[in-house]
Each structure stands twice: as C-alpha cells, then as structure tokens.
Amino acid sequence: MKRTAARNVPLAIAVALFAAVPFLSNVSVPLVFDGPLGSLGTMQIIAVGLIFAALAMTFDLLFGYTGLLSFGHTLWFALGLYLPAVLMVGAGAPFGTALLLALAACLLLSLIIGAVALRTSGIAFAMVTMAFAEAFLIFVERNPTKMFGGDEGITVAGSLLPQAVRGVAGIGTVYWIALVLAVTIYLLLRQSVGSRAGHVLQGLKENPLRVELLGLHTYRFRLLSFVLSSMLAVLCGFVYLLVARVAYPGIAGTDFALLIMVMVVFGGTGRLWGAALGGFLYGVANIRLGSMSTAAFGEGLPQWISGPLQEPPLYIGLAVVLMMLFAPEGLAGLIEKASSRLRARLAGSRRGRNSGAAPSGSGGTPGGDGTETALAASGQR
Amino acid sequence: MAMNDVISLLISGLGLAGIYFLLASGLSLIYGLMRVLNLAHGAIFAVGGFVGWAALEYLPVEPDWLRFTAALVLATLAGAMLGILIEKGLLARLYGRPYAQMLLTLGLAFAMTAFLGGWLGHDPLTLKQPAWFDEVTVIAGSRVVNSRLVIVGIALILFLATVVFLRRSKHGLIIRAGVNNRSMVMALGINVSKSFTLLFVIGSGLAGLGGVLAGVFFGSVTPELGTQQLIFAFIVIIVGGLGSLEGTALAALVVAVLQQFVNYYGPPGAGDLVTVLLLAVMLLVRPRGLLGKVAA
C-alpha cells in the first residue's frame, strides 16, 4: 500500500504542475517558450507535448513491455487524424459519428493487421509494420480516391468541430483534453502492465518459449497488446486533430514512425514515465526548434557545414548516436542512476561510514537487456 | 496489353530488381550474420547516389562512359569507406547489443540524410548520364531505353560475383555458415567478427553503387532516396527469406516486376501498394519467405 502511495507522488506533482499552467498567465519561461505559460500559444505547444507523451507511452507498451518492435506505430496515430477528417470533410458526418466510425474501423483494422503481422516476430515484425504504415502514406499521397488530401492534407474547418473546442478560445479546452488523455493513458497502461496479462506480456519479452511452455497462447497476448496499443494511439490522433486541425502526411510515414521510437528510446524504454518524458520533450522541442530562426547558425562557415546545421534532424540523429554510445538507458536511466546515488549518499551520511555499501547502479533494467534477448531470440529460432 | 509495353516494362522491372537486390542483399546478410539491422544502409545508398551525381557533374574525364565507370567506382568506394567507419568506429563499441546498434544506425540515418539535405538541398538533382543511355535499342520489336539494359547488366554481374564470393571464398564460407548457426561457427574457434567487418564493407559498397544505379533509373537523386527504397528492400528481404541471398534475388525480381506492371496499368500508387499486399499474402501463406529456411 505504502509503495503505491509513494509511486503516485511524482505523478501527482506532475499533474498539479500541468494543471497550474493555464492559470500562470504572468509566469514566463525564457528561452523555452515565447509567451507566458498561461498564454494560448504556449498552452498549445504544451498540449502537443502531452499528446506526444501519450503516444510515446502507447509505443512503449508494445516495445518496452511486450518486446514487439514496430516501425509502423504511427499508422494508428495517422488514422486517428485522417479517418475523422475524411468522414467529416469528405462525407459530411457529424463530429461524434465520425469519431465512433473511425474507432470501429481502426479496431477492425488493428485486428486484421495485427493478426497478419504477428505471424512474424523480431525484426521481421518491424519491417512488416513499416510496410503497412508506408502503404498508408503512399495511399494518402497519391490519393487515388481524391478524398485523402494528397500532399496538402485535409484541413478541418472549425465549424465542423464541437463548440467547446472551436477557435482560439477552444485551445484552453483542448489543453485540458490533452492533459486528461496523457494521465488516463499513463494510469491505464500502468494498470495493464501490472495486471496478470501484463506480466504475461513482459514474460513474452524476456522468454517467449517459457511462456508458451506454461500453456499460454502467446499469439493471443501479443495481439491483445498490439490492438490495445494501436487503439490508444488512435485516441492520441483524435486529440492531435483537435490541436492541429489538419491531417497531414508528415505524421503518416516511416520517418515519423521512427521518430516515435526515438522519443521512447531517448526518454527510456520500458518505463512509462521515461517514454512520456521523451515524447513530451520531443513535442515541445520540435515546435520550438522549427519556429526559432536557425538561419544565423554557422554564419560565415562554408555551405557544407552551415547548411546541415540548419536541419533539425541532424541534431536528433546525433543525439541518438551519443545516447546509444554513452547512456543507452535513456533519460530515465540517467535520472534513476542519479537519484539512487543521491539516496545512497543521504543514507550514507545518516549511517556515517557505511556509505560505500549503499545500493547503487540501475538495478532493474527492463528496457535494455530484455529487448536485446527478445530480438536475438526471435532471429535465432 | 501490347507486347511492346510488356517487354520494355519487363526490362525496367529487371533494372529495378537489380537496385532492390543491391540494397537488400547487404542488409539481409549483415542481419543474418550478426543480428545488426543497419538502418543507415539507406543513407549509404543515398550518399552513393550523390557521389555518382558529383562525379558525373564535375569529373573531367572523357569519354562519358569512362566517367560513368569512374562514378560507379567512386560511389562504391564511398559506400565501403562509410561502412568501415560505421562498423569499426561505432558498431564495434556496442558489440552483442543488437538493439542499441540498430538505434545507433537509426541516428546515423537521420544525421546523414539531414547532412545531405542541408548541404545539397532537398530538390532532386539530375544525373548527367552518358548520351548513349537515353537512346533506345529495339529488342524483339519493342523499344527499350539503354540505361535500363546497363542497370540490368551491372546488377547481374554483381549478383554472380556475390554468389561466387559466398560459395568459393573462405570468408564466404564463414559467412554462410555463420548465417546458419553463428554460435556453432564461433565454437569452432573461427573469428566471425573479421568476416563480419568484410561483409559490412562489401554490403555498404554495393549499396553505394546501387545508389548511382537508382539515380540513373529515376533520373535524379534526393537525400530521401535511401529511406524510400529501404522500405521496398525490407519487403524484398521478408518475401525472399531473411539471410538467403538467392531468396533476396528472386524476391527482388518478383516485387520489382509486379510493381512496374501494376504502376503502368493501374491507378497511381497501385504498384507500390500491391507490393505490401504481396508481403501480407506471403506472411499468411509462407511466413519464412520464398527461400528462407526458418521462420523470420
């Protein structure tokens, strides 16, 4: 009981901080945000960060907890934007109907695609999911049905959305929806991975053969995880549509699918809060880096240096390389290491000379090693 | 369906198959031997394309077929050099951790693509091909663009060379045995990692060369060239069977020819979508792929 309570303290602090944001119209965070925290522009950016945090957690269920590496997770996020947009703009369906129809369609589709893709595992599963996501991108870009907007995407006019989320004033409402989304997905996933089925999923990651020998249908559990994670990503897509008000191909392709993986890895695989941290930081940084003028970077240097310095993916890529070389456990790993060292020091100062014997190091590393073995095992069978 | 179209589409398809094979074979063998999924493979492919473009644009070599040959050699060398740097400089530090290695190559792929885009722009750069490439040869009554024949010829030679390397050389033997059962080979006291470095370099070189051929095939190169083609390479690898060179070649033929025909006769984008459909059918009917020995 006590552990559960202690576990909820950081969550409560985070929720309180985010809930305070709309009321802090005098507080500004220089460099990070342009306007004060409570301004609509800043709230919109933070809302995007929260949605990406939620999206990253849905990926972590698949990758960090079940050991299923998908290169096409963004398919579900993109469907969450595109299906309601097509239904509303193309077919004239009302908002609520569009969402319900989209949910039903995605449930069916995730069952079918999951059933097909899960006939493989390991790296083949990654390639297959990537192919499906890319197929959707091709479908959207070439636009044979003339309903998916092609390169420009589908803009959803404010009049098609419910009154509460329309226009500039709606941003406040959308912010709360994004916060509720992130917290709900966190709690739901924490509950799921702690449940009996969740333990089976983690067992599947560590040692699939052994789970099978226990008489459990590994295929069904994997499919369950795939469908759950996909449907939650669809929900993230719904909320993102409210913020962006446009369904665009940039979030549909392999590049974005791999970026979701980068968010999770950067934050820390196999820890929901780590994934959320990575997603949030990416969401905020992406918008801010995009709006900052980088033209001054590398001025006076030759073009082959100054040109690349203006490309945000360069920094993301180099950051991932450095992370893998020096801190493969991600930000969460670094934070956990620092906090356990701090705790050891505190305990040590209380106990006097005993500080050397205090527990240190990372202890449980659900992300790193388990996934390694899952990948290796799947290839070697 | 006019017979003329069929033959010219078939040869186009063979050319595309060659390009898929050059990209996919290295990827598949590297994964098969050491479980390293090199996501930077597509970026190396793109670098090769750009080196080829630069050579054709700036190299003061006459006649033009010699310049083209030089472009192929330079792109292959560039790919191989990148391969050495990536394998020896970075991947070797993460030995035995395939997941971290894959993510590292993903980071490299992002950084390399951004580097190319920032330096040379994201717009397509047209390759200055030898004049003869644009002319047509009449084969069995149908007109075929010469560049397609060149691509098919080069890809065929490289396929045969790779087969001979794998079947006749000592390293080839270790690689084939290692793909089958790496721990057994290592238990026999054979240094697999040396062969792996060689394989990585050859695979990267082939990818670099493939980039030039892709530039010839599509007429231009972009930084995103590799990422786009990587997806079809993945499809080819799964359809052919992971770790099987012959399977990869066969699947490259099936996927590329199918794609060309459907793209020509169907609505826009249909050919690309059909390849994904083919993948799904393959997984349902035969998850291990055409010539794969074990389930992927």
Side-chain angles (χ1 to χ4, degrees):
Chain A
M1 259 347 262
K2 202 177 160 193
R3 242 195 102 210
T4 322
R7 200 166 62 151
N8 282 329
V9 171
L11 174 69
I13 294 174
V15 171
L17 280 177
F18 281 113
V21 162
F23 306 104
L24 299 173
S25 41
N26 307 322
V27 183
S28 60
V29 187
L31 291 177
V32 184
F33 297 115
D34 263 343
L37 279 180
S39 70
L40 291 175
T42 304
M43 276 167 67
Q44 199 168 16
I45 295 173
I46 298 180
V48 171
L50 287 168
I51 294 167
F52 282 9
L55 180 64
M57 286 189 278
T58 66
F59 181 80
D60 201 24
L61 170 69
L62 212 55
F63 179 47
Y65 288 93
T66 319
L68 287 174
L69 174 58
S70 165
F71 283 173
H73 191 58
T74 198
L75 172 64
W76 309 105
F77 185 59
L79 283 172
L81 275 99
Y82 268 100
L83 290 186
V86 167
L87 288 168
M88 283 190 289
V89 177
F95 180 72
T97 318
L99 291 194
L100 281 179
L101 283 176
L103 266 185
C106 288
L107 184 61
L108 194 65
L109 210 57
S110 67
L111 276 168
I112 295 172
I113 290 184
V116 173
L118 284 168
R119 289 181 62 93
T120 60
S121 58
I123 227 67
F125 178 80
M127 294 179 178
V128 173
T129 45
M130 179 174 180
F132 277 111
E134 198 63 18
F136 180 67
L137 177 67
I138 293 167
F139 180 74
V140 164
E141 282 190 328
R142 304 289 174 86
N143 202 12
T145 59
K146 303 286 171 227
M147 283 173 74
F148 280 76
D151 287 335
E152 280 111 66
I154 311 168
T155 308
V156 178
S159 57
L160 293 172
L161 300 173
Q163 185 69 45
V165 294
R166 260 184 225 174
V168 180
I171 292 170
T173 321
V174 176
Y175 178 85
W176 288 107
I177 297 177
L179 181 56
V180 169
L181 173 86
V183 174
T184 312
I185 286 186
Y186 175 76
L187 291 175
L188 189 75
L189 289 182
R190 196 177 74 178
Q191 200 64 36
S192 321
V193 298
S195 70
R196 283 174 174 225
H199 287 304
V200 175
L201 293 182
Q202 294 187 44
L204 281 177
K205 195 182 92 172
E206 307 292 341
N207 194 339
L209 190 62
R210 203 154 161 192
V211 175
E212 215 157 331
L213 287 175
L214 288 171
L216 294 162
H217 291 276
T218 57
Y219 183 82
R220 272 186 219 163
F221 279 101
R222 283 201 177 105
L223 189 59
L224 176 76
S225 171
F226 185 84
V227 171
L228 177 64
S229 137
S230 304
M231 293 310 288
L232 291 176
V234 170
L235 290 184
C236 297
F238 286 172
V239 180
Y240 192 55
L241 183 64
L242 294 181
V243 181
R245 288 173 198 174
V246 56
Y248 57 101
I251 42 103
T254 311
D255 274 348
F256 193 75
L258 293 174
L259 272 175
I260 298 178
M261 182 164 72
V262 167
M263 295 176 208
V264 173
V265 168
F266 208 77
T269 321
R271 299 168 184 82
L272 287 173
W273 65 271
L277 182 66
F280 182 78
L281 289 179
Y282 173 81
V284 172
N286 186 44
I287 298 178
R288 292 298 297 145
L289 282 177
S291 67
M292 257 182 238
S293 169
T294 48
F297 273 29
E299 217 172 336
L301 293 169
Q303 164 66 16
W304 69 275
I305 300 176
S306 67
L309 285 180
Q310 290 165 31
E311 301 265 326
L314 182 79
Y315 301 97
I316 296 174
L318 291 180
V320 172
V321 171
L322 292 177
M323 203 75 165
M324 282 305 114
L325 287 176
F326 301 110
E329 300 264 304
L331 287 177
L334 289 178
I335 293 173
E336 272 176 7
K337 230 173 255 177
S339 81
S340 76
R341 206 171 291 161
L342 188 72
R343 229 173 291 152
R345 185 164 299 171
L346 287 179
S349 64
R350 238 177 281 146
R351 264 181 278 154
R353 280 176 297 168
N354 239 354
S355 63
S360 64
S362 48
T365 54
D369 301 325
T371 318
E372 303 281 1
T373 47
L375 277 180
S378 63
Q380 264 152 8
R381 266 187 294 139
Chain B
M1 225 189 253
M3 201 56 207
N4 292 354
D5 292 343
V6 170
I7 291 179
S8 98
L9 279 175
L10 203 59
I11 292 180
S12 265
L14 288 178
L16 191 60
I19 293 166
Y20 288 165
F21 172 76
L22 288 176
L23 189 60
S25 55
L27 207 59
S28 173
L29 285 176
I30 289 168
Y31 180 78
L33 187 60
M34 286 307 226
R35 307 278 165 238
V36 175
L37 182 65
N38 180 16
L39 290 174
H41 209 68
I44 296 175
F45 185 78
V47 169
F50 274 93
V51 170
W53 166 82
L56 290 174
E57 189 85 18
Y58 299 113
L59 220 56
V61 179
E62 293 296 338
D64 50 9
W65 63 266
L66 198 61
R67 193 181 319 135
F68 182 71
T69 313
L72 288 181
V73 172
L74 286 175
T76 311
L77 287 178
M81 292 273 288
L82 273 174
I84 289 189
L85 284 178
I86 294 172
E87 211 281 310
K88 282 276 165 199
L90 297 169
L91 290 181
R93 290 158 163 264
L94 299 173
Y95 183 76
R97 292 164 54 197
Y99 153 80
Q101 286 176 322
M102 178 195 75
L103 287 160
L104 184 133
T105 60
L106 172 63
L108 280 177
F110 274 119
M112 283 161 71
T113 309
F115 182 75
L116 286 176
W119 183 12
L120 299 160
H122 291 275
D123 297 326
L125 295 174
T126 310
L127 256 76
K128 277 196 188 143
Q129 305 176 20
W132 182 77
F133 277 33
D134 288 330
E135 292 165 19
V136 288
T137 302
V138 177
I139 295 177
S142 84
R143 298 154 62 80
V144 179
V145 183
N146 287 337
S147 63
R148 301 289 187 264
L149 295 174
V150 173
I151 296 173
V152 174
I154 294 175
L156 199 63
I157 292 169
L158 288 171
F159 168 65
L160 293 175
T162 319
V163 170
V164 170
F165 166 74
L166 285 179
R167 294 204 179 269
R168 296 272 174 242
S169 75
K170 189 187 123 205
H171 284 292
L173 179 71
I174 297 173
I175 290 168
R176 277 187 301 139
V179 169
N180 246 335
N181 189 341
R182 180 165 43 118
S183 15
M184 177 61 90
V185 177
M186 285 160 84
L188 291 171
I190 293 165
N191 189 350
V192 178
S193 68
K194 220 182 240 169
S195 300
F196 177 68
T197 307
L198 182 70
L199 175 64
F200 203 93
V201 171
I202 293 177
S204 305
L206 288 181
L209 190 147
V212 184
L213 296 189
V216 171
F217 188 89
F218 297 111
S220 59
V221 287
T222 64
E224 287 77 23
L225 181 71
T227 329
Q228 286 159 3
Q229 301 308 314
L230 200 59
I231 291 141
F232 297 114
F234 279 0
I235 294 176
V236 163
I237 290 172
I238 302 293
V239 171
L242 259 170
S244 158
L245 189 80
E246 289 83 357
T248 304
L250 186 61
L253 280 177
V254 173
V255 170
V257 171
L258 182 74
Q259 195 181 6
Q260 286 289 307
F261 272 90
V262 179
N263 263 342
Y264 187 77
Y265 290 106
D272 302 357
L273 292 178
V274 161
T275 60
V276 177
L277 199 67
L278 175 73
L279 173 76
V281 172
M282 195 70 196
L283 289 175
L284 287 172
V285 181
R286 196 180 161 87
R288 69 173 123 140
L290 288 172
L291 298 180
K293 289 182 190 69
V294 285

